[in-house]
Amino acid sequence: VPDIPILGLTQAGGRLGLDGSGTPAAGVFSGMLKAIAHEWESSFVRIVDTQSEALSEAGALTVLAQAFQGDVLECGVVSEARIVSEAQSINPDKSPDIGPDDTLIITGGARGVTAVVARAIAQRFGCRLALLGRTTVDGIGDLDSLDITAEKERLKSDLSKEHERVTPAMVRDALKPYLRAVAVRDTLRGIAELGSEVAYYACDVTDRDSVLEVVGRIRSRFGAIQGVIHGAGVEFSRKLSEKTLDEVALTLATKVTG
C-alpha cells in the first residue's frame, strides 16, 4: 500500500462529466483510481475534476484545497465552486414508455448479470429483445438436446486420445464453450417463457462492421429500435496490480469503443 497520497486530476468540465462534457478517458482514469481506493483501503486517494487542462498557480491551490477537504473520494471544481455528486432515489412507478411493439438491443444480455436485467425487462415490459454477445453457438450442435454431463465425458475421451494425462483443468477449458452456449440457451428460453420475442446474435461489440451488420439484421426482423442497453463487459477477476496490459486494454475497449 503506498504511503503517499494519490491525487488524480481529470478535465471533464468540472462537473464530473455529468453535463455531457469531457471524454471517456477521464472516466477511465477516475475509475482506475476508484478501484485503487477500493483495493487499498488504507490508502488516501482523491480525484478532482477541473474545467481546464492548464491550471494557474491559484487554480492548482484550489484543486489541492478541494482534494483534502472532507472524505469525498471525487469532486469537481467550477469557478472555485465545489461540485459533488450524490445518489438520488427514483420513483419506481415512473416507467419508460416501452411495450410489446418496441425493440431493445442489449449487449452482453445473454449471460451473467446483464441476462438477469434482460429477463426483468421482459417480465416488466414484454418488449422484443435482441441480445448481443461474444458467445458463438456454431458447432455446438443441437442446443435444445445438449447434455452437459454427456458432453463432458465425450470431451474427456477425445482429450485422452491426444494426451497421455488428462487433467481436470483441461476438461474445464474444453467444456467452457458448451457451458456458455447452455447459458445463452437458458436465457433465451426464460425470456420466451415470459412472453417476449427474443433473438440472439453473436457479435464482437468492438468491431464496428460486425455491429452494423447485426443491427441491420435486427432492423430487418423487428423494425425500428427504441433503445440500447450496453451491458457487454470483459472481466478478469484479479486485482489491478495483477492484470496484464492486454487484459486492461480489452476491458476498456469493450466499454469505451463498444
Side-chain angles (χ1 to χ4, degrees):
V1 178
D3 56 1
I4 59 173
I6 300 174
L7 173 59
L9 187 65
T10 59
Q11 293 90 34
R15 299 183 183 276
L16 311 178
L18 298 176
D19 59 354
S21 60
T23 65
V28 169
F29 182 60
S30 64
M32 180 185 70
L33 291 183
K34 290 172 186 176
I36 290 175
H38 179 73
E39 292 184 6
W40 295 336
E41 295 181 359
S42 62
S43 64
F44 182 92
V45 180
R46 293 293 184 269
I47 306 159
V48 181
D49 184 41
T50 65
Q51 292 176 288
S52 173
E53 295 184 13
L55 289 177
S56 62
E57 183 176 345
L61 290 174
T62 298
V63 166
L64 288 174
Q66 295 295 341
F68 289 90
Q69 178 181 328
D71 59 357
V72 176
L73 175 59
E74 182 181 34
C75 70
V77 179
V78 177
S79 301
E80 298 189 5
R82 181 181 176 87
I83 307 295
V84 178
S85 64
E86 294 183 355
Q88 295 182 343
S89 60
I90 62 172
N91 182 1
D93 296 326
K94 187 178 181 181
S95 300
D97 187 17
I98 302 173
D101 294 330
D102 296 313
T103 300
L104 297 182
I105 293 176
I106 305 181
T107 66
R111 296 194 299 120
V113 65
T114 316
V116 177
V117 173
R119 290 186 190 221
I121 290 173
Q123 184 172 26
R124 184 167 182 177
F125 302 107
C127 57
R128 297 183 293 243
L129 298 179
L131 309 183
L132 274 59
R134 291 180 301 129
T135 300
T136 176
V137 295
D138 295 339
I140 298 297
D142 184 6
L143 279 179
D144 291 332
S145 61
L146 183 61
D147 183 332
I148 286 296
T149 301
E151 202 61 42
K152 182 177 181 180
E153 293 303 315
R154 183 188 69 78
L155 290 171
K156 288 170 66 174
S157 176
D158 289 347
L159 287 169
S160 65
K161 297 174 183 177
E162 302 175 7
H163 305 276
E164 291 185 8
R165 179 171 176 268
V166 177
T167 65
M170 293 167 63
V171 176
R172 280 198 306 272
D173 288 343
L175 195 61
K176 282 179 181 179
Y178 297 87
L179 293 174
R180 296 189 186 111
V182 166
V184 171
R185 178 197 68 188
D186 292 347
T187 297
L188 297 178
R189 281 180 177 175
I191 291 174
E193 288 171 358
L194 292 170
S196 284
E197 189 175 356
V198 61
Y200 175 74
Y201 302 87
C203 175
D204 179 357
V205 296
T206 66
D207 184 334
R208 178 181 174 83
D209 291 338
S210 177
V211 171
L212 290 175
E213 188 269 334
V214 164
V215 169
R217 290 163 58 194
I218 294 171
R219 284 180 173 148
S220 295
R221 175 169 178 172
F222 295 127
I225 297 165
Q226 278 66 45
V228 177
I229 298 175
H230 184 31
V234 178
E235 180 189 14
F236 297 96
S237 288
R238 287 189 291 278
K239 291 185 176 181
L240 186 62
S241 59
E242 299 172 356
K243 296 180 188 289
T244 67
L245 287 177
D246 287 342
E247 290 171 347
V248 172
L250 181 56
T251 301
L252 295 181
T254 305
K255 287 298 185 187
V256 178
T257 64

